[in-house]
Amino acid sequence: MEYKRKQYDVVMERIKEPRLHIQVLMGPRQVGKSTLMDQVLSEIDMPYYLYNADGVDPNDSDWISRTWQAVRNAMLLSQSKEALLVIDEIQKIENWSEIVKREWDLDTRNKLNLKVVLLGSSRLMLRKGLTESLAGRFEIIRMGHWSYKEMHEAFGTTIDEWIYYGGYPGAQRYTTNFTRWRNYIKDSLVAPSIEKDVIMTANIYKPALLKQLFELGCSYSSELLSLTKILGQLQDAGNVTTLATYLSILDECNLLVGLYKYANDEARKRQSIPKLQVYNNALLTAYRGNGYEKDRIDPQVWGRWVESAIGAYLLDVAIENDCNLYYWRDKNDEVDYILERRCAVLAIEVKSGRRGMNSGLPKFNERYKPYNSIVVGTNGISLEDFLSSDIMRLMP
């Protein structure tokens, strides 16, 4: 039986509802958006029309109108009272949101029951179009990277395998050949994401610098690294402002983020040294790994992989539940991750052999009085239990 991610039920439910909003299925590359949509289409009982904008000339914005009108004509010929239009990789078309707005509003005025689902892999470009032209007309259904629980249920992936190889289903078959797996991640996943979803959709004046920043950032996942120090390790580095902008763009594309330090005021947060964090631990392994057998037996190295994996998981939790994710540090005291939702705070310390005893969690608890605080790993909640549970139950 083909595995269905939890968003399957959400998409199915939205399609069955009365026509209210455009549904936007959004997520990074290779997380199963198209597969999930195919699963939904195979089960619905209304006529549907599926198009992919991936091979269309980006300047041919009229393609959307022609496609839309073809579906309208098909509904007339078949006398269908409702139908579903699905367009994949919609963000590839220039001015796509303006055309979608015009066609959607036309159907609304004519009381045509044509429901619409849009799929896209560039969160950056989708957000721009949605906020500029389609305000009030859409709902977003987010698909993040595959969690340990999903990979385990779908492929039997072990906890250690997920920590090291991350959550890309398409790469799972290559994990027995590390060189082939690494090449697949870099060539088939990273390169298209950087070259198509980032460089082609944002004002990147130094694409080589962005690529260097991304690769270095992946190598330092779960580490604090100031932008000034990063400048010293990059060629043609420009300035700190450029790096901060590029790091923000990589975050928008679900690749790499610089977490802020937790503080009571916004200015102190944004002035802090960023803690680099990949969205999928496969990115850390692809750029820093030396092979599973070697890295797994080194407690210091493996502890870093564990902390990064927890951070990647928490990033998806934060996006899905409208939370903010931080770290905290004061001199030698630190807490690995701080999850905040509506002023309620969950402090998370990861114990995995990377560091010795750390008094950071008691100090943080004393200073900030979080709603809850937990230890994950040694002498705390097991990694498997933590990664398999709904941690939002620990917050109000």
Side-chain angles (χ1 to χ4, degrees):
M1 180 178 178
E2 193 173 25
Y3 185 80
K4 292 184 175 69
R5 300 192 71 185
K6 60 184 178 182
Q7 290 85 358
Y8 170 89
D9 292 330
V10 178
V11 175
M12 185 66 80
E13 180 181 327
R14 299 275 179 89
I15 289 175
K16 291 180 179 179
E17 289 177 349
R19 180 186 181 274
L20 297 173
H21 299 99
I22 298 168
Q23 300 301 321
V24 181
L25 187 59
M26 179 189 300
R29 287 178 175 270
Q30 298 298 310
V31 297
K33 299 183 297 297
S34 298
T35 299
L36 183 144
M37 201 65 230
D38 288 341
Q39 292 171 334
V40 169
L41 295 179
S42 68
E43 296 292 333
I44 63 173
D45 55 6
M46 74 176 74
Y48 66 84
Y49 304 87
L50 173 63
Y51 297 88
N52 194 316
D54 200 18
V56 179
D57 183 346
N59 296 314
D60 185 10
S61 56
D62 191 52
W63 175 84
I64 298 175
S65 295
R66 297 196 304 271
T67 296
W68 213 294
Q69 186 58 47
V71 174
R72 293 189 186 113
N73 291 335
M75 290 180 68
L76 285 172
L77 290 173
S78 62
Q79 296 184 316
S80 301
K81 294 183 178 180
E82 67 173 354
L84 174 66
L85 169 61
V86 180
I87 304 179
D88 200 352
E89 297 293 348
I90 183 69
Q91 82 279 353
K92 299 291 181 68
I93 306 297
E94 291 288 335
N95 301 318
W96 66 270
S97 57
E98 296 177 10
I99 309 301
V100 169
K101 174 181 178 294
R102 185 181 68 199
E103 301 300 335
W104 174 264
D105 289 352
L106 180 60
D107 288 346
T108 301
R109 289 194 298 271
N110 292 333
K111 295 182 172 54
L112 183 67
N113 193 17
L114 176 56
K115 301 174 181 180
V116 177
V117 176
L118 306 178
L119 282 67
S121 57
S122 175
R123 187 170 72 168
L124 183 68
M125 198 164 185
L126 279 172
R127 279 187 181 279
K128 182 179 178 182
L130 293 173
T131 54
E132 288 181 354
S133 303
L134 292 171
R137 296 171 174 83
F138 69 92
E139 291 181 284
I140 292 176
I141 304 171
R142 295 178 175 84
M143 287 187 70
H145 293 281
W146 284 54
S147 66
Y148 160 67
K149 183 180 179 181
E150 291 174 314
M151 292 292 288
H152 179 69
E153 291 174 349
F155 306 105
T157 304
T158 67
I159 185 74
D160 286 355
E161 288 171 342
W162 182 81
I163 288 170
Y164 197 71
Y165 295 110
Y168 282 121
Q172 181 71 15
R173 70 190 70 180
Y174 304 128
T175 55
T176 56
N177 184 331
F178 185 69
T179 299
R180 186 177 181 185
W181 176 88
R182 188 204 297 267
N183 290 338
Y184 178 82
I185 294 295
K186 290 184 175 182
D187 298 338
S188 295
L189 300 181
V190 171
S193 295
I194 296 293
E195 294 168 8
K196 294 183 179 180
D197 297 339
V198 180
I199 293 176
M200 291 180 64
T201 60
N203 294 322
I204 306 297
Y205 299 106
K206 295 186 176 182
L209 174 61
L210 183 138
K211 290 180 181 179
Q212 290 179 54
L213 172 63
F214 171 72
E215 293 174 5
L216 182 68
C218 290
S219 299
Y220 279 89
S221 183
S222 77
E223 298 281 349
L224 272 66
L225 191 64
S226 72
L227 295 181
T228 303
K229 287 187 177 180
I230 292 176
L231 279 174
Q233 298 189 45
L234 301 179
Q235 299 175 354
D236 188 27
N239 55 52
V240 169
T241 302
T242 301
L243 288 184
T245 300
Y246 287 178
L247 190 57
S248 177
I249 291 172
L250 291 169
D251 177 23
E252 283 290 328
C253 295
N254 295 106
L255 292 169
L256 176 74
V257 64
L259 299 178
Y260 293 128
K261 174 185 173 181
Y262 181 81
N264 283 328
D265 65 275
E266 198 66 26
R268 288 182 63 192
K269 290 177 182 176
R270 296 187 178 276
Q271 291 171 0
S272 62
I273 297 174
K275 179 175 183 174
L276 300 174
Q277 176 63 57
V278 294
Y279 272 85
N280 191 317
N281 237 32
L283 302 176
L284 167 61
T285 304
Y287 288 96
R288 192 64 177 264
N290 293 304
Y292 176 79
E293 291 77 12
K294 183 176 181 179
D295 291 333
R296 180 63 185 89
I297 62 175
D298 187 324
Q300 288 290 106
V301 171
W302 187 248
R304 182 159 172 241
W305 252 259
V306 170
E307 185 177 330
S308 178
I310 294 295
Y313 170 67
L314 289 172
L315 278 175
D316 274 331
V317 170
I319 292 173
E320 185 175 339
N321 295 280
D322 195 24
C323 301
N324 295 313
L325 186 64
Y326 305 99
Y327 74 94
W328 179 77
R329 188 172 189 176
D330 184 16
K331 297 179 181 178
N332 293 325
D333 299 319
E334 63 180 293
V335 178
D336 294 315
Y337 298 104
I338 308 295
L339 195 63
E340 180 188 54
R341 182 173 69 168
R342 296 191 292 271
C343 297
V345 168
L346 171 64
I348 302 162
E349 177 65 18
V350 183
K351 296 289 188 183
S352 56
R354 184 182 180 191
R355 295 189 303 266
M357 293 298 294
N358 179 18
S359 59
L361 196 58
K363 294 283 184 65
F364 183 87
N365 290 341
E366 181 180 354
R367 184 177 303 183
Y368 294 102
K369 305 297 189 293
Y371 180 84
N372 210 338
S373 61
I374 61 172
V375 174
V376 179
T378 308
N379 298 322
I381 301 173
S382 72
L383 292 172
E384 191 154 3
D385 287 344
F386 179 78
L387 293 168
S388 301
S389 305
D390 179 6
I391 65 169
M392 297 310 297
R393 294 173 183 171
L394 300 175
M395 299 185 73

